[in-house]
Every structure is written in C-alpha cells, then in structure tokens.
C-alpha cells in the first residue's frame, strides 16, 4: 500500500509546473498507461493512472481528457462490481458530453459501458437498447474496432440473458473474427471466454472445456497478464464439474477465486465460492463446504444490494428526467390553462364530433394497412416487387384524385424517388433501426424530407410509420417461421425487427397480420 502512496505522489508532483502542451502530452501518457493496465486486468493500477489523468486534466482544463478520465473511473467501478457508482459516473459523462465539443466518441463509449451495467443487473432489454443505439454511430469513426467489439460482446451477453443462444453465439463469433482480423489477443480472449461460458449454459461441457482451454492458452501469451484469467478458470471449472470431474473442477475454482481476490472481482469470487461449496459437499468435506457457503452468502448479499441500488438509481434518474421535462412545461401550461378551459367549453360539442371522425379515420387507416399487407403476403414475389405493383394499382386513381394536383413532384420524378426508396429499403434495411425517423431516412438517402413524405403518401398511400412497419412485420414473420429462431423469445424478435418494445410490436403485429406474434408462430 505504501509503495502506491509514494508512486501516486510522484505522479502528481511531476507535472505541477507543466505548460499546457506538456500537460496534454503527460495526460495522454497517463491515458495510455491506464488503458494498458486495464487490458492486463490490473484494476488498481488502471485506477491509479486514471486518477492521475483526471487530476492533470482538471488542473490544465483539458476537457476532452477529463471526460475520458471520468469515463475510465466508471470502468473501474464496473470492473470492481461497484455498479451504482459506475452508473452514476456514466450519467455524469453523458451530461458533460453535451457541453464538451467533439465528444461524440466518448458518448458512444459511455453508452456501450452503460449497456454493460444493465447486463450486470440483468436488464437485458435496456442493455440491447443502448448497444443498438451505439452501433450505427460507431460506423462514422475510422479505427472503431475496440468500440464495435464492446457492442458485439455486450449484445452477446444480453441475448444470453434472454436465452437467445443462437443470437448470442452470432455476436460472440463476430467478436472473435474482429479480434482475428485486428490480431488483437485481448479481443480474441474475450470472445473465447464468452463462447466457453455459452457452451456451459447450454450444458455442452465438452465444447465449453475445449474453448475454455483455448482461451487460457491464448491468455498466457499476453505477457504478465491476468486479463480474464479468473473468468476463464471459472468456465473450465464449470465444464469439469458438468463432466463430473470434481477434483479437477475444485482446483480450477480455487485458482479462479485467488485471481478474483487479487483483481478485487467480487462477482467471480462469489461464483467460485458457490461452486466450491457444492463440490466440497459432494466430496464430504463439510467444514470446507460450510466455509465457502458462508463467504458466498456474504458476497451475494452485497452483490444483490448493489444491484438493487443500481436499479433504484436508474429509476430515480428516469423519474428526474420526467420531472425536469414536466417542470419546464408547467409554467407555459399555467398560462394557457384558463384559455384551454374556455376553449373546451366552446368546442365540447364539436369535440365529440371530432372524436368520432378521428376514430373512423384510424379504423380506415388500419383497414387500409391490413388490406395492403394482406395483398402483399399472398404474393410469391419479393416485398419490393409487391410494393411496386401495389403502388401501380393505386396510381390508377391518380387522375381523379385531388391530392395529386397539389404535388410538388412530377409523376416521373415521383416514380424515380419511389424506386430509390424501395431499393434502399431492400438493400440497407433501415427499418431495423428502432430510432429511425422520416427526417433521418431522408437524410440517409439524401432526399428532401417533404419529397419523401409525398412519395409515401401519394405512391403508397401510407404514412411513414405504417410504411416502415410493413417491412418490420415482414422481417418478424420470417424470423417467427424460421426454425433457426425457434428458441428466440418474442421480445428478442421484436428488437431484431426494429421495434422499441414488445408492447408496440404486439400491437402493430396484430393490427397488420390479424394475429399476435405468438399465435402466428403456432399457426
């Protein structure tokens, strides 16, 4: 402990008289050292250099590096299972990103780290939301391998929590291929460790042991590394336990526990003690079993408490944001309440008429959507060809329709735009992004937003969301009928098809297809 104190003093005293340029150079060095020890799995030295980075960045007003330091603090808290502190730190980073120029990359990395926190507290739905929100943003940056790797790993873990093992394997093998292409041992070991864990969860202990040993061997080539050694040893122990090789499993669980204690990784220590307690009991060593059981209960109590506190903090933050929004609007509402009250008295008679009219419009729109989709799903051609044909049939009414006379596009131009939209939908599949908006799609296609709206309205007689949902439902139906996805939960299919929630997916699916997703899958 004393050597760290002297070392820490040396770090701080070394730059008290640095100029701005020299300070930035020194700060970058600390950032590199922080990253180096993070990859080695040395949490304490990672934190030491992170604190040094934060100190010099604050002192010399290096806003971008200060942001990186705070984010690294969050990583330390996450890796040492201080989940509430980690989430609080990431929320601070997101807030600061709004004020610091050119901080988009830090924002993306923070979103990925927040996804990892939600995985830790088993909120896989929210984790997937953050990972998928980050993924398209990552593509804007060159040399984005590490961040993309974090997303693949996180999505793999989230799908594993939801028992969507096929999707989980897909993302973990993407991570492995990325590590291979970058010749990056850290990413390769991470992928192999997670794949070994997946095989164990599927009770395929032979492959779990095989991949676990590969991970351990590769990890040993990373000089002086304890990288993910605790998790690798734990996975090998689980495989051996599943294969009824209790003595060998005990050895690996004990090694995993020792490495976890050195890394201050309470979660792995807790899991190791749990399995050791079971093995000792089977081996009739009841004293050792009781000791491991006691330590497991101590760690588990703290772990559950931390998960609860983190979940409460998340709920509190969401509530705070809602209250803030309400407060910002409340003053305006107070001024207009009296006016609204008077207007309500005036229009109360007309409102009933408006409501009935609006209800008829919605019923008509839903009927139109069902008819269009019913026509489409009975065809053998591709969805793109079907929509083109449907558009042609609708265009016969063009001459007699008043709305076409007000169009800002000529018929030929509108058809060109229509074909561009259909081609883009088929090739790029933008509908899988659940944050997609009409203006966002127009920007991606380099089309004027008004022209896009006009094409959707006049060529397809659909508003933006109905049009997008036709593609999403078509994608979902293919997944529901594909044997490869038979173990996928409905919620996972909803997210993979571009819906933000299971509730909206069920509602739109039934509205369009006439059945719930579960009923459709069984039919």
């Amino acid at each position: 402990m004393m050597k760290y104190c002297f070392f820490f003093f040396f770090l701080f005293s070394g730059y008290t008289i640095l100029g701005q340029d020299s300070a930035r150079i020194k700060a970058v060095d600390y950032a590199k050292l922080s990253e180096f020890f993070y990859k080695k799995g040395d949490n304490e030295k990672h934190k030491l250099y992170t604190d040094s980075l934060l100190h010099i960045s604050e002192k010399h007003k290096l806003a971008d590096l200060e942001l990186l330091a705070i984010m690294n603090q969050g990583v330390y808290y996450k890796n040492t299972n201080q989940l509430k502190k980690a989430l609080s730190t990431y929320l601070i980073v997101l807030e600061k990103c709004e004020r610091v120029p050119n901080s988009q990359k830090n924002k993306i990395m923070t979103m990925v780290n927040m996804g990892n926190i939600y995985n830790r507290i088993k909120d896989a739905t929210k984790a997937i939301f953050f990972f998928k929100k980050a993924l398209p943003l990552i593509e804007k940056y060159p040399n984005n391998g590490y961040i993309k790797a974090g997303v693949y790993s996180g999505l793999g873990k989230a799908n594993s929590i939801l028992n969507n093992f096929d999707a989980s394997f897909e993302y973990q093998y993407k991570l492995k291929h990325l590590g291979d292409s970058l010749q990056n041992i850290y990413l390769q070991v991470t992928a192999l460790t997670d794949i070994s864990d997946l095989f164990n969860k599927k009770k395929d202990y032979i492959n779990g042991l095989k991949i676990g040993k590969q991970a351990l061997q590769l990890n040993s080539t990373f000089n002086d590394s304890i990288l993910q050694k605790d998790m690798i040893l734990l996975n090998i122990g689980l495989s051996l336990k599943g294969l009824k090789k209790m003595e060998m499993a005990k050895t690996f669980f004990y090694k995993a526990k020792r490495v976890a204690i050195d890394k201050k990784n309470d979660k792995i220590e807790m899991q190791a003690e749990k399995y050791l307690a079971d093995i000792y009991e089977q081996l009739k060593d009841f004293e050792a079993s009781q000791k491991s059981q006691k330590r497991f209960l101590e760690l588990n109590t703290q772990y559950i408490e931390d998960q609860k506190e983190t979940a409460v903090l998340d709920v509190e933050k969401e509530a705070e944001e809602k209250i803030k929004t309400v407060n910002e609007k409340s003053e305006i509402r107070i001024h207009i309440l009296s006016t609204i009250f008077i207007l309500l008295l005036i229009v109360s008679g007309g409102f009933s008429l408006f409501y009935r009219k609006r209800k008829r419009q919605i019923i008509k729109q839903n009927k139109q959507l069902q008819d269009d989709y019913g026509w489409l799903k009975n065809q053998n051609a591709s969805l793109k060809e079907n929509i083109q044909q449907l558009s042609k049939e609708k265009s016969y009414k063009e001459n007699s329709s008043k709305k076409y006379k007000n169009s800002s596009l000529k018929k030929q131009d509108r058809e060109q735009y229509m074909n561009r939209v259909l081609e883009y939908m088929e090739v790029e599949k933008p509908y899988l992004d659940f944050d997609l908006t009409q203006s966002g799609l127009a920007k991606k296609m380099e089309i004027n937003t008004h022209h896009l709206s006009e094409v959707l309205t006049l060529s397809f007689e659909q508003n933006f969301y109905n049009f997008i949902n036709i593609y999403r439902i078509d994608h979902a139906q293919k997944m529901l009928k594909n044997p490869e996805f038979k173990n996928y939960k409905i919620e996972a299919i909803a997210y993979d098809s571009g819906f933000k929630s299971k509730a909206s997916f069920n509602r739109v699916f039934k509205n369009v297809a006439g059945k719930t997703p579960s009923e459709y899958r069984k039919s």
Side-chain angles (χ1 to χ4, degrees), residues 176-381:
K176 176 65 167 60
H177 295 149
L178 183 60
D180 292 343
S181 66
L182 296 173
Q183 297 183 324
N184 186 289
I185 294 176
Y186 174 73
L187 299 183
Q188 292 169 325
V189 170
T190 299
L192 289 172
T193 303
D194 290 341
I195 291 168
S196 173
D197 183 47
L198 277 173
F199 276 123
N200 284 336
K201 285 180 178 177
K202 292 190 71 176
K203 301 188 187 310
D204 185 350
Y205 299 116
I206 293 176
N207 277 317
L209 182 60
K210 177 183 174 183
I211 300 297
K213 286 182 175 179
Q214 288 178 19
L216 187 62
Q217 183 178 3
L218 188 59
N219 186 72
S220 66
T221 65
F222 199 74
N223 293 334
D224 193 31
S225 173
I226 56 172
L227 195 56
Q228 295 199 54
K229 194 173 182 180
D230 49 356
M231 186 64 194
I232 298 170
L233 293 168
L234 189 79
N235 283 341
I236 293 175
L238 276 169
S239 298
L240 291 167
K241 184 174 182 288
L243 295 169
K244 308 300 181 185
K245 299 179 179 181
M246 296 304 175
E247 285 290 350
M248 292 176 67
K250 181 181 75 173
T251 301
F252 278 94
F253 286 137
Y254 183 79
K255 288 179 179 179
K257 181 180 81 169
R258 297 312 312 167
V259 176
I261 290 171
D262 290 340
K263 289 175 64 176
K264 295 187 177 180
N265 190 337
D266 290 347
K267 183 183 177 184
I268 300 296
E269 183 190 353
M270 175 185 73
Q271 291 175 318
E273 291 286 20
K274 175 186 175 182
Y275 298 126
L276 280 170
D278 183 44
I279 286 180
Y280 284 134
E281 185 176 349
Q282 292 188 47
L283 296 175
K284 309 300 182 185
D285 189 346
F286 299 112
E287 185 179 346
S289 177
Q290 187 177 17
K291 187 177 178 182
S292 286
Q293 182 70 16
K294 183 180 177 182
R295 179 57 179 158
F296 163 72
L297 290 173
E298 289 172 358
L299 293 167
N300 192 50
T301 300
Q302 181 56 48
Y303 184 70
I304 291 172
E305 189 63 32
D306 199 27
Q307 282 187 315
K308 280 167 53 181
E309 289 179 357
T310 307
V312 168
L313 175 65
D314 183 45
V315 172
E316 286 175 349
K317 185 64 181 176
E318 286 186 355
E320 185 182 307
E321 291 296 324
K322 289 177 182 177
I323 290 169
K324 183 179 177 183
T325 303
V326 169
N327 286 340
E328 287 173 352
K329 295 178 180 178
S330 62
E331 189 174 337
I332 299 171
R333 287 176 177 171
I334 289 169
H335 287 298
I336 64 172
L337 269 176
S338 57
T339 307
I340 290 175
F341 180 71
I342 294 168
L343 287 172
L344 281 173
L345 290 174
I346 296 171
V347 302
S348 58
F351 179 75
S352 177
L353 181 63
F354 167 78
Y355 174 77
R356 289 196 298 271
K357 183 178 179 182
R358 178 61 181 151
K359 185 177 180 181
R360 285 196 298 271
Q361 287 177 338
I362 292 171
I363 291 171
K364 184 179 178 182
Q365 284 180 356
N366 289 341
K367 181 67 167 58
Q368 181 69 56
L369 188 59
Q370 287 176 353
D371 290 346
D372 288 349
Y373 194 78
W375 187 93
L376 291 170
K377 73 178 182 179
N378 289 325
Q379 306 303 307
N380 293 322

Side-chain angles (χ1 to χ4, degrees), residues 8-47:
F8 198 50
F9 172 76
F10 171 75
L11 289 176
F12 282 120
S13 62
Y15 54 71
T16 53
I17 56 173
L18 291 174
Q20 190 75 6
D21 291 341
S22 298
R24 176 168 285 277
I25 292 170
K26 180 63 75 174
V28 169
D29 286 341
Y30 290 143
K32 290 178 180 177
L33 285 165
S34 175
E35 182 183 5
F36 173 76
F37 284 109
Y38 164 74
K39 289 179 180 178
K40 285 189 65 176
D42 191 333
N43 290 324
E44 294 311 305
K45 284 188 179 178
H46 165 65
K47 176 70 159 53

